[in-house]
Structure formats: structure tokens, C-alpha cells
Amino acid sequence: MAFTKKLEFGNYTLKFGEDKVLLDLFDEVVMPSFHEMKYIRNLKDKGQYFFLDTKLIKLDDNPEAPVLGISGKIVKNTRLKRDQIFREDGGLIEDKSELETAPSSTFLLVLNTHRLILCKEVPGAPTISNFQSTSQYCLKQQHKKFIEDEFEKAKKRKEENPEVERVTKKSLVNRYPYPILRITPLSDKESLKDFVTRLKHIDKVSIKLLPTNREEIDNDDFWSDFGRRREEMNSKAAKVEFSNPKEGLEGDKVYEQASAASGLGNSEVKLKGYDEQGDTINGSNDDFSLTVELEDLPRDAERAATVKYGQFKHLVAENVIKLPVLADEVIAKVVSIFRGL
């Protein structure tokens, strides 16, 4: 049976402390962290993860409103091990063997909206969760290099001019804090509705709003106001919980609120209840994430990115994917990067 390729979507939220986001350190940290095999994440007895064929590409070359993205592949380089095999005439037979394998997924990170689109090329290929862990590792390594480079520059300036203020690595980290990455799967309204419908009785729903990439969130009034209050109080997250274990929550309203809160990929939604058979069911964003099946996708990462972006624009036009309103400074930084290409 042929492997069915599916596009998966996530919100790539990268923060450097409270004041800096992805585009603020794009040239210094973000783009270099994606360079082909510059950093390799090694996992004991599980292989390696790294990026391949990465490139900064133009998705829309309108000079007034360009759209840029990072395309490439994430590879899991590992070995499959076996200890025994089965033969009808001999039953289970000890037979140790290993086989090299390197499953890969193509990806596109749209810089304007910070939306990640990933597609597994073969079974066992890296997931969005693997992508997050690998990207976080590479960002951390590149950030460390950036701090060391800045420290050496400052030390040289001090040697040339003793009157210059001394710069320490601690002060540099305070100015350029460590990167923290979170990728939240984008929710599919129909999958969410199907999940809620499966629950005969809904005990509890919790919704946590998370920090954004300096986006102007356009959720409904309740969630917009809730998010604004989170920011005003300088809270890293804000959580609201609806609970009624005895009588159960109203399913239609649960769907309505969960859909409104999760549409932009800036919230974690968790549901708990039980089905017709009385079995307890827990659900989160991963259980109703958006996927789109494709008949075919080019093996070349850059060409695949063009197809992905076409699908992405179609889903936006159909209101399947909601996008934030871009802040002026985000547009200005994208234009600046575009002009440098």
C-alpha cells in the first residue's frame, strides 16, 4: 500500500526573553540554526536529527509585501535493530541484525506568519514534535555561538580602547536571552467537532493562552480581552477552566469556545470526559490537529515548499486556517530581509 502524504500545520512561536521574537534575531541566530547539518542533535541509541537542503526562499516577491520562508528537510538518521525472526518450520529464531535508515520530512516555515508546514516523505519520518526538539537544540547551539562571538568582539574593542565599558557574557545573555521555542499544532474545526461529538459527557475543558510572535491576535472578543489582560499582567500564560463533572458541560458551547480559542494556534486546549461506553477520554491539540492529504509532492524541498504554500493560501481563503494581523514592525523586518536577498 502506497504511503499517503499529509501536510501538517503548526504555529512556530519563538521567544528570546519577553521582548524579542523570531525576526529580531533572524540573521544572528534563527537562519544560521537551520543551515544544512551545521548542528546535529544526537540521541543515545536513537540516532541523529539534522536539517538538510535548507534555503531562504521567496514565496511572494511583491516588493511592498513580500512573503519569505525557510524550506528544507529534517532527517532522522538511525539504525533499525532486530533480535529475532519467525519461520514456520522453526518458530522464533534468534537473529540479530541492523539496517541503516534515514526517513525525512520536508518543511516550510513561513516567516511572515510563523506558520510551519511539514510533510512526512516516508513512514517513520520526523514529526512536528521532533522538529520542535531539533530546532530548539539548533537554536540553542547557534545562540551560544552568537553570544561567544559578541563577547570576543567586545573584548577586542576593550583592548583597543580601555575606556570602553566592559562587556560580560552575562550582560550579553541579559540583552539577548536564551531562545524558547514552542510549536502548537493548528486545529481543524471539523476534527474538533468530531472529537467533541464522541464525548457523551464532558467533565472539564481547560484553555491556556500562550505568548505569540508579536502578533495582533484576532480571536473573538472574550479571548482577545483575555489575552490582553495576560499581557498587561506580564504573565507568560493565562488559563481558564470550565468544569461540571456532575451534569457535564454543553457540547455545542464547548466546541464553540475551544474553536474560537484554538483557531490561531496560540492556545493549548484540553478536554476530559467519557464516551457512550463509559470509557474516559482525554483530548488535546494533537487529537484534532489539521492535516491535508496530497496525491503527490516533489522530492525537492524548494519545489515542495511552493506546493505547500499554495495549499496554505487555499486553506486561508477557505477560512480553514486563520491568520493573525501582522504588526507593522513584522512587515518592515520581512521587507528588510527581502531586500537583502
Side-chain angles (χ1 to χ4, degrees):
M1 183 177 178
F3 177 70
T4 302
K5 293 185 177 181
K6 297 180 180 180
L7 298 185
E8 303 174 46
F9 304 84
N11 185 15
Y12 186 100
T13 306
L14 176 60
K15 305 277 285 185
F16 296 91
E18 294 301 313
D19 300 323
K20 290 182 173 60
V21 294
L22 187 154
L23 290 175
D24 292 322
L25 291 175
F26 179 77
D27 291 324
E28 299 87 349
V29 177
V30 179
M31 191 62 218
S33 77
F34 280 102
H35 287 172
E36 180 170 318
M37 296 189 74
K38 182 172 185 178
Y39 301 110
I40 297 176
R41 176 174 165 243
N42 291 289
L43 297 179
K44 186 177 180 181
D45 298 327
K46 293 184 179 180
Q48 305 171 321
Y49 286 91
F50 52 83
F51 295 122
L52 196 66
D53 299 337
T54 49
K55 186 177 181 180
L56 178 60
I57 62 172
K58 300 174 185 177
L59 297 166
D60 187 331
D61 58 5
N62 178 351
E64 302 301 319
V67 179
L68 302 178
I70 300 174
S71 66
K73 296 187 179 188
I74 177 172
V75 179
K76 178 183 180 182
N77 189 32
T78 187
R79 301 179 73 90
L80 298 178
K81 298 180 180 181
R82 78 177 187 202
D83 294 303
Q84 58 187 22
I85 58 175
F86 175 79
R87 294 288 182 265
E88 290 187 4
D89 57 349
L92 290 173
I93 303 170
E94 183 176 336
D95 188 345
K96 297 183 182 294
S97 183
E98 291 188 358
L99 176 67
E100 290 185 52
T101 183
S104 60
S105 298
T106 58
F107 70 88
L108 170 64
L109 175 58
V110 184
L111 297 182
N112 302 55
T113 58
H114 310 102
R115 294 312 188 249
L116 174 71
I117 309 171
L118 181 136
C119 182
K120 298 176 183 176
E121 294 192 287
V122 292
T127 63
I128 283 184
S129 178
N130 297 144
F131 188 98
Q132 174 177 304
S133 301
T134 302
S135 186
Q136 173 70 70
Y137 172 81
C138 296
L139 286 163
K140 183 178 178 181
Q141 298 304 310
Q142 178 60 29
H143 179 267
K144 180 180 178 181
K145 181 181 183 301
F146 169 63
I147 294 296
E148 290 175 348
D149 289 346
E150 290 298 299
F151 178 70
E152 290 301 320
K153 291 177 186 177
K155 191 165 68 171
K156 187 175 181 180
R157 286 194 297 268
K158 181 71 173 175
E159 292 172 354
E160 294 173 349
N161 182 4
E163 299 300 318
V164 173
E165 183 180 354
R166 179 172 174 266
V167 175
T168 64
K169 287 186 178 181
K170 183 177 181 181
S171 67
L172 286 170
V173 171
N174 287 335
R175 191 187 310 171
Y176 308 107
Y178 297 110
I180 301 295
L181 173 64
R182 184 192 73 251
I183 301 179
T184 307
L186 297 190
S187 297
D188 176 26
K189 292 179 182 179
E190 291 305 312
S191 295
L192 174 59
K193 183 179 288 185
D194 290 343
F195 189 91
V196 172
T197 302
R198 284 175 54 201
L199 299 174
K200 179 182 178 182
H201 185 282
I202 304 174
D203 292 334
K204 181 173 64 176
V205 176
S206 65
I207 299 173
K208 182 163 71 172
L209 292 190
L210 303 164
T212 70
N213 290 296
R214 203 176 288 146
E215 299 163 346
E216 296 179 16
I217 297 302
D218 189 28
N219 289 347
D220 71 12
D221 291 342
F222 174 81
W223 296 110
S224 293
D225 185 59
F226 195 49
R228 178 179 59 78
R229 292 174 186 274
R230 176 192 66 76
E231 292 177 355
E232 288 177 348
M233 290 187 283
N234 194 32
S235 172
K236 295 184 183 299
K239 181 179 178 181
V240 62
E241 185 173 288
F242 305 94
S243 178
N244 188 351
K246 185 175 181 180
E247 298 175 350
L249 299 172
E250 176 58 45
D252 290 342
K253 294 300 179 181
V254 166
Y255 166 73
E256 183 180 305
Q257 292 298 329
S259 179
S262 64
L264 285 167
N266 66 310
S267 62
E268 289 181 356
V269 178
K270 294 184 179 180
L271 299 93
K272 181 181 179 183
Y274 56 81
D275 61 13
E276 291 283 352
Q277 287 72 43
D279 295 325
T280 299
I281 295 178
N282 292 287
S284 65
N285 298 63
D286 291 330
D287 296 295
F288 32 83
S289 59
L290 176 65
T291 61
V292 175
E293 291 189 6
L294 291 179
E295 290 186 4
D296 194 23
L297 192 67
R299 292 281 295 173
D300 178 78
E302 186 174 352
R303 288 173 54 215
T306 303
V307 176
K308 290 190 182 87
Y309 188 61
Q311 286 285 336
F312 178 75
K313 288 197 297 181
H314 173 72
L315 293 171
V316 171
E318 294 293 318
N319 202 33
V320 174
I321 291 178
K322 292 176 63 179
L323 293 181
V325 178
L326 295 184
D328 290 340
E329 58 188 307
V330 171
I331 297 173
K333 285 177 180 175
V334 172
V335 170
S336 177
I337 296 170
F338 174 79
R339 289 174 178 168
L341 292 178

